Amino acid sequence: RDGNLNDSQAVSDPSSAWRAFSCMVPFTASDNTPFLMLYGGTTSDETNPLKVADKGSNSLQVFNTKSNKWYAPSTANAPKTGPVLPGCGAAAGNVWVYDPQYGAPNKASTSVSLLDSVHWSWSMPTQQGQLPVTRFGAAFAYVPSKQAFYMHGGIPLDDTTNTADSSASAANNLDILSPNDLKWGYASNGPARMYHTLCYMKSTESIVLFGGADGNIDSYNDVKVLSAATNTWQYSPKIDGNAPAERLLHSAVCTDDTMYVFGGVHSIKDDPSDSTVWMLKASNDSGFVWSKAPISGSSQGSGPTARAGHSAAIHDGSMYIYGGVGPSGQDGTMYKLDLAKWQWSRIDIAGSSDAQKDNKNKTAVLIAAIISSVLGVVVVGITATVIYRVVRRRNGG
């Protein structure tokens, strides 16, 4: 199979690319092309992921961050069904996906699928160790220094119906997968949570847990910290600054020392209302500080509206936001936040960014000005010629 992408695989219909409750992960192809992979999720407007747990998509969407184009590569051996709220990562030369509904009726029989991005081919390898309990709405994080994929919490699913009671208590299990040998292990259980996030910070060698619910409380806005070195939890880390409101189904992605939180809802029954980018930065005194990202008002208008169940990723100094559900409906725009300039830009389905459109508009204005100027010169020349001839006639010349 030829793994190269071409224009025939480019996505032109916005409705075919939009997703909610999917995962997005950056990876680099064999030719060093940078991509974001979007997989799983649903094309439904439903805001409660449990109600669409059996409607996952198995189509693969790939976004080229250089050309700003979406592609839908044809893949071999694709899973028959797609996961909702999956975990995904890039490691050991592959992109891999964890299906939280594995073993449930009409779902995958294995929990991990690997995507060979050279040939766009899927495989379902044999795993070792004690596989995680099937559960939905768990949080995921990859720790490069440990070469380990962490999965925490979620709602235990009924393995005969692929459903869970909407008021079910959340799990507190912490499972760890080594992508190199596909061996599962486990560590000290954390707080019971679902629809929360995990995010790895290199500077503190820790995994930060934020938000989520537990079945009794609609949502939290607290922070728990797991040491990636010892796999032990810190339940009351030192936190300064004003924290964002309680939320679940939000996104959280990390640079070396900062977590960026966006979107989410207070409860499954609520609509998203927060479009602020929140930052949790590791401080020098072994604590953390909350603040709002310093995005200017003019740039804020180019950013995403409030949403939940969207996908987020950090790549090359920028945060990307895509999809999700909210008052704006099925928004098929990719949003990019430059974390150095604090500027949002929009990239539509055809691959045109705000900057490119602005340049095109400026070019069009320039061309129009040139044409107007030329026509003005022509008109002036014609007018002068006519006047000259009239004067000559009157003077008998």
Side-chain angles (χ1 to χ4, degrees):
R1 289 176 56 85
D2 181 3
N4 295 325
L5 296 175
N6 52 59
D7 288 342
S8 66
Q9 296 169 302
V11 176
S12 57
D13 179 8
S15 63
S16 68
W18 178 86
R19 294 285 185 276
F21 310 125
S22 59
C23 66
M24 185 164 68
V25 61
F27 72 98
T28 302
S30 57
D31 61 356
N32 294 320
T33 301
F35 288 106
L36 297 176
M37 183 200 78
L38 189 78
Y39 183 70
T42 176
T43 57
S44 169
D45 288 329
E46 173 60 53
T47 57
N48 185 345
L50 266 177
K51 292 185 177 180
V52 289
D54 59 345
K55 295 180 174 62
S57 170
N58 67 345
S59 66
L60 179 70
Q61 307 282 352
V62 178
F63 180 75
N64 185 323
T65 60
K66 276 191 174 180
S67 66
N68 290 337
K69 286 187 177 182
W70 279 103
Y71 296 89
S74 176
T75 58
N77 307 317
K80 293 182 179 179
T81 58
V84 176
L85 289 176
C88 58
N94 289 290
V95 177
W96 39 268
V97 176
Y98 175 80
D99 187 338
Q101 300 155 275
Y102 83 94
N106 301 317
K107 287 294 179 180
S109 58
T110 183
S111 61
V112 175
S113 300
L114 296 181
L115 174 66
D116 177 356
S117 61
V118 175
H119 303 100
W120 300 113
S121 178
W122 289 97
S123 63
M124 289 70 185
T126 302
Q127 300 161 66
Q128 304 178 55
Q130 182 176 340
L131 270 63
V133 174
T134 302
R135 55 191 194 269
F136 187 75
F140 307 89
Y142 179 67
V143 179
S145 62
K146 304 280 286 187
Q147 294 188 334
F149 174 59
Y150 286 67
M151 182 180 87
H152 172 262
I155 313 169
L157 286 177
D158 186 322
D159 60 8
T160 62
T161 62
N162 189 29
T163 60
D165 187 347
S166 59
S167 61
S169 296
N172 65 353
N173 307 54
L174 177 63
D175 299 282
I176 305 173
L177 172 68
S178 170
N180 289 330
D181 56 13
L182 290 173
K183 185 175 183 178
W184 284 98
Y186 55 91
S188 175
N189 292 337
R193 292 294 164 91
M194 57 187 177
Y195 303 145
H196 55 306
T197 53
L198 295 180
C199 187
Y200 172 69
M201 282 191 192
K202 181 180 179 180
S203 66
T204 60
E205 190 63 15
S206 62
I207 299 171
V208 181
L209 179 154
F210 175 68
D214 63 6
N216 297 312
I217 303 297
D218 282 341
S219 58
Y220 292 89
N221 68 340
D222 59 347
V223 172
K224 311 296 184 188
V225 178
L226 174 70
S227 168
T230 63
N231 286 336
T232 55
W233 288 93
Q234 185 180 3
Y235 275 69
S236 300
K238 180 182 178 182
I239 307 287
D240 293 320
N242 296 320
E246 297 85 356
R247 64 193 61 206
L248 49 81
L249 294 175
H250 54 281
S251 64
V253 289
C254 280
T255 55
D256 285 351
D257 64 355
T258 305
M259 176 173 72
Y260 300 87
V261 174
F262 182 80
V265 289
H266 177 72
S267 75
I268 291 296
K269 299 177 182 179
D270 296 323
D271 288 329
S273 59
D274 188 2
S275 58
T276 301
V277 176
W278 294 88
M279 301 166 53
L280 182 70
K281 187 176 180 64
S283 59
N284 295 327
D285 58 356
S286 301
F288 301 88
V289 180
W290 278 114
S291 65
K292 294 182 180 180
I295 302 171
S296 66
S298 58
S299 180
Q300 186 68 44
S302 297
T305 55
R307 61 194 61 207
H310 53 284
S311 301
I314 292 275
H315 176 69
D316 196 24
S318 294
M319 178 174 72
Y320 292 81
I321 298 287
Y322 186 74
V325 291
S328 297
Q330 296 188 359
D331 183 357
T333 302
M334 175 69 83
Y335 295 89
K336 176 182 177 181
L337 176 63
D338 187 317
L339 299 177
K341 299 179 180 178
W342 297 113
Q343 292 181 346
W344 280 111
S345 59
R346 301 181 181 186
I347 305 167
D348 63 24
I349 201 68
S352 296
S353 66
D354 286 346
Q356 289 171 324
K357 290 176 182 177
D358 188 47
N359 287 336
K360 289 179 181 178
N361 290 337
K362 289 178 180 177
T363 301
V365 171
L366 178 60
I367 292 172
I370 292 172
I371 292 174
S372 177
S373 177
V374 171
L375 289 176
V377 171
V378 171
V379 170
V380 170
I382 293 173
T383 303
T385 301
V386 170
I387 293 173
Y388 173 73
R389 289 180 177 177
V390 170
V391 171
R392 285 194 63 188
R393 287 175 182 173
R394 289 182 176 176
N395 293 336

